[in-house]
Amino acid sequence: MTAEEILEGQVLLIDKPLKWSSFQAVNKLKYALIRHLGLSKKFKIGHAGTLDPLATGLLIVCTGKFTKRITEIQGQAKEYTGTFLLGATTPSYDLETEVDETFPINHIDETLIQNILPQFIGEIDQKPPVFSAIKKDGIRMYEHARAGTEMEMKSRKTTIHEFEITRIDIPEIDFRVVCSKGTYIRSLAHDFGKALNSGAHLTVLRRTKIGDYSVENAVSPDDFESNLSNK
């Protein structure tokens, strides 16, 4: 990979590690490219779709002229796999915050789980988590939430193209979901728990695909830099 190729435009597939922000991952690539290819700090680089720090998986990074494709890539369907933990909720709908309420799970079995699946397939109404990057009054919602400010989230339309349960070991269930842009898997976990007359939150999330791009072809930020230094 040359400086000219980066400036002309590249789509880089990165496997974002756990607890890294998407910004950290892009920064790692940016300074690796500056260091090894002699690019100026002003070259264009950006990612097509944020992944939460507690999620892993496919982060698409565009450089140079291909940064113009970010909006197009972000609009493509996304595939995720992960785990819901039944019987408890958290304010963030995932592991970022502590459990705030617990619920019975003795009534939940595979039949009940499979019976509620259809209500989550197709176009659905979904409320984003209050711990989200959506802005209100110029401030991201998670900043309002962390400050203890009560905020009401409006529901929005989203589309679940495919949703399957791949493992049931109550209180854990694993899933695979293909969904439209703007879908919050944390909200899906929360709503799924409600539909079971219980509660649930997201404990594992991995993005495996965006459109035709797959995490199978991605490398970690550290491996990306190693590959540059070995050339």
Side-chain angles (χ1 to χ4, degrees), residues 209-225:
K209 289 182 182 176
I210 300 176
D212 292 328
Y213 298 105
S214 172
V215 75
E216 291 178 2
N217 302 315
V219 297
S220 72
D222 287 339
D223 284 347
F224 178 84
E225 180 163 26

Side-chain angles (χ1 to χ4, degrees), residues 16 20-28 47 50-51 59:
K16 188 192 79 64
W20 283 49
S21 71
S22 299
F23 177 78
Q24 280 177 299
V26 172
N27 247 18
K28 172 82 173 178
H47 65 75
T50 303
L51 263 182
L59 185 72

